[in-house]
Amino acid sequence: MAAAAAAPTVFLLMVNGQIESAQFPAFDELYCKYCFVYGHDWAPTTGLEEGISQITCKNRDAQQALVWNFPIDITFKSTNPSGWPQIVVSVYGPDLFGNDVVRGYGAVHVPFTPGSHRRTIPMFVPESTSKLQKITSWLMGRHPEFTDPKVVAQGEGREVITVRSQGFVTISFNVVTKDMKKLGYDVSPSDMQNP
Amino acid sequence: LYIIPYKTRNSLPPVPSTSRTSFAEFSIRERMREKLKAARSKAENALLQEDPNPRPRHLKSLKQRESETRWDKEVRNTMCMVACSICCHFNKKVKVQTDFPSAEEAYKFFTFSFDPDPENIKDETKSKKKSESNQEEEEGEEQECVVSHQQEQTEDGMDEEDCLVNNREDLFIIDQMARDFLVVKPAEYKSYSERLQKEREILFTPSILTVPMSQKVPENMQPRYIEDEGLYTGERPIVSLSNQNILENRILRQEWFGDDGKLLALPSPIKQYSTRPPIFSLEEGIEPELETLYRKAMKPMHANQYIVGSGDPQGQFQLDIDISGLIFTHHPCFSREHVLAAKLAQLYDQYLARRQQNLTKLLTDKLHALRNAVQSSLDNSGTSFLHIYIYRQTRRLRDAEQEKDRTLLKTIIKVWKEMKSLRDFQKFTNTPMKLYLRKEEVDQRSDKKIYEAEIQAEINELLEEYMEEYEKKMEEYKTELQEWKSWKKAQTKKKKKIKQSQDQEEEEAENSEYVEEPVKPIPPKLADSLEVEQQVREKAINIRRKPGEPVLIPELSLTGSVTPNDLCPRAEVLRREDVKKRSLFLKVLFNTKEVSRTISRQISSDFRVHFGQIFNLKIFNWPESLKLQIYETMGFSSTNLLAEMFIPVPETTVLTGRARTEEIEFSSNQRVMLDHEGVGSGVPFSFEADGSNKITLMTSGKVSSSVSWAIGENGVPLIPLVSQQKTGIPSALKNIDAVASIGTSGVTDMKKLAKWAAETKLDPNDPKNADLMQLIMVATSGDACVPGFFRLEQLQQEFNFASDEELNRSKRFQLLQLRHREVAEFRNYKQVPLLEREITEKLFENYEKRLRERDVIDSKDHLDAHRALVAKYLQKVRESVINRFLTAKHHFLLSDLVNEEEVPSLGNLGLSLFKLAEPKRPLKPRRKERKKVTAQNLSDGDINLLVNIIRAYDIPVRKPVLSKLQQPSRSSRSFNEMFAASPSPQSPTRSIDWTFNQVLVHPFVEVSFQRTVCRTTAAEGPNPNWNEELELPFRAPNGDYSTTSLQSVKDEVFINIFDEVLYDVLEDDRERGSGIHTRVERHWLGSVRIPFSTIYFQTRIDGTFKIDIPPVLLGYSKEKNLGNERSYDSVRSLSEGSYITVFITIEPQLIPGDPVREKFDTQEDEKLLQAAEKYQAECALKFPSRQCLTTVVDINGKTVFITRYIKPLNPPQELLNGHPNNSQAAAELVARYVSLIPFLPDSVSFAGICDLWSTSDQFLDLLAGDEEEHAVLLCNYFLSMGKKAWLIIGNAIPEGTTAYVLTWEQNQYVIWNPSNGRCYGQFDTFCPLQSVGCLISFDNIWFNIQQYDSPVRINFDISKPKLWKSFFSQSLPYPGLSSVQPEELIYQHIDKAAALELQGRIEKILKEKIMEWRPRHLTRWNRYCTSTLRHFLPLLEQFQGKAVEDDHQAELQKQLGDYRVSGFPIHMPFSEVKPLIEAVHSTGVHTIDVSNAEFALAVYIHAYPKNVLSVWIYIASLVRNR
């Protein structure tokens, strides 16, 4: 134990928090899925990598927020900050005919610095390629979807798609890191260095 | 504050006034630098002692750095004043001033606010500014602001240094060390006069007066001018006379003068580089950021330039052709005046050229010089014959030149006169040409004098010459006379004698003697001086200007006015209009192919055409010819070719930008007659009124153009290496042209060049080589200093987080980089360790080994150098293709990212409605497509291979152990008997044995895949029915389940059929009643091999396959019709083979990867490609499942139209010789030859890429290819053998999409499988070809539009448009596409020795392997059996494995009677050893574990031309019968 503490070979990143709420003014009865996308040098040690939330309905006040409060808890170990984990959130809900339809995709990096953070992610969905397809997709209740929601965490191949933005999702993170500084990665802000 | 910066300085004279000039030259900077250096070295010494801290490395954060440098700057500002105070902080950062602003300085210049240091330099700045301006005025130096600013700061400070020394203590308290560094001395001063005195003692001032010649040349010697003797001396650079004089005076005392009294010196003593030391010192001046790094040159990787056979990838080469214009010297539309004008222009050009050369003057001068030389040599040491000879030669030359000049001038004037008279006569002018004759008056008297002197001199010389001649002749005469006289004397004596003795006969004798009497020599005449003078004068009048006659200088101008059209007669107007109608253009032909053409331009009235176009030709072939064609267009009518001209391919030294425009003359012999004023061409016409004196002119002219090699972006000339040139260059040329002999790349390598120069013994004194020698001299001397550096991104260094060395050193960084590059070994490497020490060396071992071996040809694995070479080559091609694929993988389509519903069509809607009415559980259910799985989220154990073994037909059956005496039963059986349903006569006796004692055969099937083996239960009889499902797990290589990696799985599914044999091993007969003791043995009967890639692409394989049964199976025979079974058998037995029905699929179903969406570049016509696309789309619309191929990708990654592959090609002559009159047998032999070329599917070698088609010669070079290469080669062979042959593109089992060959023979269609050389009739049910998509011949493609596509049910008559849709039709005729195939194939001779050697090696390896597989037993080899087997193998090859079985078996039986032999020969094409080993292993012969088993193994290799090898392995196990 002492030896491991003296010479760590990996650093740990513990993330917990929750997918708090969403703003989708036009839709109701939504649920969301999340998953983490990370680089080659990362591995989850404990916790759930993906999850699916309950369905939530709008509250009745003026804000019309959709609250899930869906907890996230995961710990990663890594040897390389490249490929820092991102959380990918996709929101689904029924359309007019009761078909399950995607309402938004979004991704954000897990914050680098220890502490608690709140992130609001703007969400988007892929658009139909033509007007006709838009109509048929509406009729059939089969809107275009990403083949893999993880697409939104990568930059490659985005030039071929068109998206429309709709809604926001708010996530809160509590981040704890271990051994990062020992391994030479200084992520804490300057005011935390010399308190 | 205590500083008095400049007052002191101003009050003092800064420098002695005498050295005012040197002040400017030897700049203050220089002195200053020295001082600074001294101070610094001291400071550094102190630093080294005091400051133990390591120097800050340049790898620091930017922020830190900036603060540091800023501080540094301040330091510099104050440094000079307080040099001592700096020392403790001084570090390496302090730079010596350089002339160039370093990156840092530049940065500072923009970022640093030039605030003076508030504490100590307040009033300094004021004075500084003042002094700055002063100084700048004084020095008049124009410097860059920064430099001067900083310079002067330091400089000023330095000057003050002395006076500051005393005050320093007051300034700073910390500067205790001041005295440690500076030595204080009072200023020295000497009075001016004193100093002058001293200087006079030391210095010597050379005078500027010219040194008299006598002092420079050794005594009693005349100066000698080498130049005047006609030897080459260079041209000296201009040096002012005074300087020269000074130098001469300076070195007068020494023997430094040449014979001509000039200084001995090189022709041009100027060096090509500066000899002055660079302004900044090299050791310490360069900042670390600016240091030039040496990087090793890297060879650029060419992605797709592989050309089979040549090791070097070709680069891109470019020729630039600049066509600037064209001038006609004659054109049919020329009027008479134009003809004259052209002539005049031509003469004038000639005149100008001559004047430029000025040979006359040159020769005259030479003559003078020589005359002097002769004179002096005469004075000195008698006559020098050589000089005189040269002199006379020169005189003759000069006279000739003078004469030419004179006549030229005369002709010009004559032509001009003619022209004038013509203009007068026709009353209009057509050309603006005018000739002026400028008269240059000369001084009559002096001219006359010179003229006379010249003539006199010539006369004298001539006289002298004559004199000499005369003397010579006189000499001759004298000797002759002497002879004659003596003879005469003798004669008279004789006469007297004779007279005395005889009387009569003397007459006759005398007569005869008189004939021989020599003629009395005539004394030579002395030349008459008058006559000579006459002669000389006459000549002079002819060739020289008369004395006093003005010098005539013709000047041609184009200032004349052309008569406008309305003033001209009708004929002339017509001519002018005709000219206007004509226009010209040029075609550029490269290797006789048109590559480009100029725009069409009108001919202007002066018959000049300007193009001014530059064509850049990117070339791939070595330029063999470059041709220009001139075309003329008349109005709207057709163009006609005026002339062709060849342009020489430029030498490799001619580069763009340096090439000179050259004029190339052309002419045409077309006869043109015109009905107007134009004179036409090839038509005689005359200038005279009476039509006499006719002349005939042909159309001619000059094209001015230049051809040169282009220079690439990086300054490298785009010239192909000469070694690649196909036509041999003469060796003489090779020796002379450096570029030609070592290639252009060599030219940049100076060492190579110098070596070459030394080798070829270039004459360094030859002015032709001067450039080259100088270049070599500069380069090899090595002190050519490149003036510093230029950095584009000066801040780049700051952003590099580690230096390149560090990156290369660190294993971790290496690993990360390799993974990023998606190198195969590291593509999906997880969790790169954070610390260096955790990365083991082993990780890189494989990768490095691969890199190392890339260029090393290892014949260990391949046993054959050529195959090893090919394997390397294939590897290379594969790498490049994979690289391309990897890049293509990063291109996404919408469908890759987004799932979107297709817009449903009406038909679909209807169908789906119809589906609702279908019964839920139909009686005959169809196989439903399973859900497909994308490959990426799979892991080991998820995928299984399902193999359903259903049944087999016609398995060979065991033969009873015959006694030696018994005749082999079936050898005598005739072919007809095979069909007879009745059993053979002997069979009843035997069948009793069989039916009661043993079953015929007990076959079971073993499926092995990826080292997993599954087997069925044993069934009974030759037609077993298993119907068992075997499940084999599938593991992807490296756990990578991506489509790419799955595609490249090379594993094969082996389906082996064995016979399970039970042997009674009961030792003791007494126990027979109570116990059963048997041993189970398995005997291999045959196998079917299916590559995994086929299963992967086909998703399922369902069919009946022919079992690969060796031609001889010892102990087994094909018993047909033995059991009285269904009559169907008799039909089937026609096909002579055993068959197995299997169904193979993968669970879950995998989606095969899409072919790469990449548009390949092409050289096909765009129209053709469009047509092909349209054709394919139409075909796909009608029959989406049928294959339609129009274009394919060749090995270089270019799209090629498919018919180009079909072309008759000669098969090896040896094969044809074998069966000279049996074409069928020859065809079979050829098919066998093709099938012997190893098979290598493209999908394996080029994962993810669609088929690459190599041409037949490439295929034969590579000795590997897949179906289409085999098919194309076979088809081409058949065509050359005179058969009608087509390529079939269709589907077959188990290959899937494939290519077969169709031939028309004896009124039936025959289908050939090129991969195994078998042929099938059209109606053969066992033909593996299942469907026919299209047929391809050399000139067309036919798509099958019949209802059915099975070959049995279709009509192959392609002439019926209702059944076959042809690509080229009447609307799109066949354009005559050239073939991509070579003209003919060249076959190497069979290397029997190598084959024999290989045979021995393979045998050895296989024996070792078998012993290795039997670790628990002793492996004995039966030599006797082996030699017998070896004897059989060539026979098998000869009969191609047919019809030897029985004899062979009988013989074996005879020889090895006591043994139970089971074994068989295996036949394979040879590619590598590994497949052979696998094949032997899969038969399981080694598995026999009877303790007394013996083995026999023989290998035979039959070599076919082009190194195609057929391998036979005979393996047998022997057990002694007891």
Side-chain angles (χ1 to χ4, degrees), chain B residues 502-672:
Chain B
Q502 293 160 331
D503 297 316
Q504 272 302 325
E505 292 148 23
E506 59 172 339
E507 294 290 301
E508 291 164 3
E510 218 168 319
N511 274 345
S512 64
E513 272 168 349
Y514 267 127
V515 179
E516 287 166 18
E517 184 191 352
V519 192
K520 189 186 174 187
I522 309 146
K525 253 201 277 175
L526 190 62
D528 185 13
S529 66
L530 272 174
E531 211 171 279
V532 171
E533 193 179 335
Q534 188 70 23
Q535 209 180 324
V536 169
R537 276 185 197 282
E538 243 168 54
K539 193 176 83 184
I541 285 165
N542 271 337
I543 63 169
R544 246 173 266 169
R545 186 165 49 84
K546 274 181 208 112
E549 198 183 83
V551 180
L552 284 179
I553 299 169
E555 270 173 26
L556 196 67
S557 70
L558 297 172
T559 50
S561 57
V562 177
T563 320
N565 275 8
D566 43 359
L567 294 179
C568 288
R570 169 108 187 103
E572 169 64 15
V573 174
L574 270 178
R575 186 193 71 82
R576 289 188 186 183
E577 271 167 8
D578 188 29
V579 173
K580 260 185 206 162
K581 268 191 272 172
R582 289 167 189 254
S583 53
L584 276 186
F585 66 89
L586 262 69
K587 276 185 185 174
V588 181
L589 283 88
F590 176 80
N591 288 355
T592 67
K593 280 177 199 149
E594 185 189 332
V595 286
S596 47
R597 58 170 75 176
T598 63
I599 43 169
S600 187
R601 282 275 164 95
Q602 234 178 41
I603 301 177
S604 65
S605 60
D606 55 352
F607 293 95
R608 283 163 192 271
V609 183
H610 175 75
F611 294 110
Q613 278 185 293
I614 298 175
F615 301 103
N616 301 329
L617 304 187
K618 294 234 171 184
I619 60 171
F620 286 94
N621 304 324
W622 179 259
E624 272 144 20
S625 70
L626 263 179
K627 199 158 66 165
L628 292 182
Q629 287 184 333
I630 303 168
Y631 284 87
E632 194 183 42
T633 328
M634 265 254 293
F636 299 103
S637 62
S638 62
T639 57
N640 71 316
L641 178 66
L642 258 191
E644 286 188 339
M645 72 205 94
F646 284 94
I647 315 179
V649 175
E651 279 185 38
T652 37
T653 41
V654 181
L655 300 178
T656 303
R658 279 198 279 163
R660 268 194 291 162
T661 308
E662 278 171 42
E663 294 198 324
I664 305 160
E665 291 187 4
F666 66 89
S667 68
S668 122
N669 51 4
Q670 279 166 348
R671 198 153 173 268
V672 184

Side-chain angles (χ1 to χ4, degrees), chain B residues 338-373:
Chain B
H338 275 111
V339 174
L340 286 177
K343 200 165 160 192
L344 188 62
Q346 202 184 338
L347 286 170
Y348 185 69
D349 278 348
Q350 211 177 328
Y351 169 78
L352 284 184
R354 284 191 74 81
R355 204 170 67 174
Q356 181 115 42
Q357 279 180 329
N358 211 352
L359 272 176
T360 318
K361 175 88 171 21
L362 199 84
L363 287 169
T364 313
D365 287 355
K366 194 175 173 185
L367 205 60
H368 281 297
L370 279 170
R371 192 177 287 167
N372 288 342

Side-chain angles (χ1 to χ4, degrees), chain B residues 114-157:
Chain B
F114 285 92
D115 292 335
D117 266 6
E119 318 146 66
N120 52 2
I121 337 179
K122 230 169 217 168
D123 51 350
E124 188 203 22
T125 35
K126 223 190 280 168
S127 54
K128 199 197 280 171
K129 268 179 195 158
K130 209 195 309 175
S131 76
E132 249 172 58
S133 54
N134 283 346
Q135 215 161 11
E136 260 165 23
E137 280 161 33
E138 272 174 32
E139 297 180 7
E141 283 182 357
E142 287 181 13
Q143 283 188 356
E144 212 187 314
C145 172
V146 195
V147 183
S148 67
H149 180 76
Q150 288 177 352
Q151 216 83 58
E152 278 144 29
Q153 276 176 357
T154 33
E155 187 180 296
D156 294 344

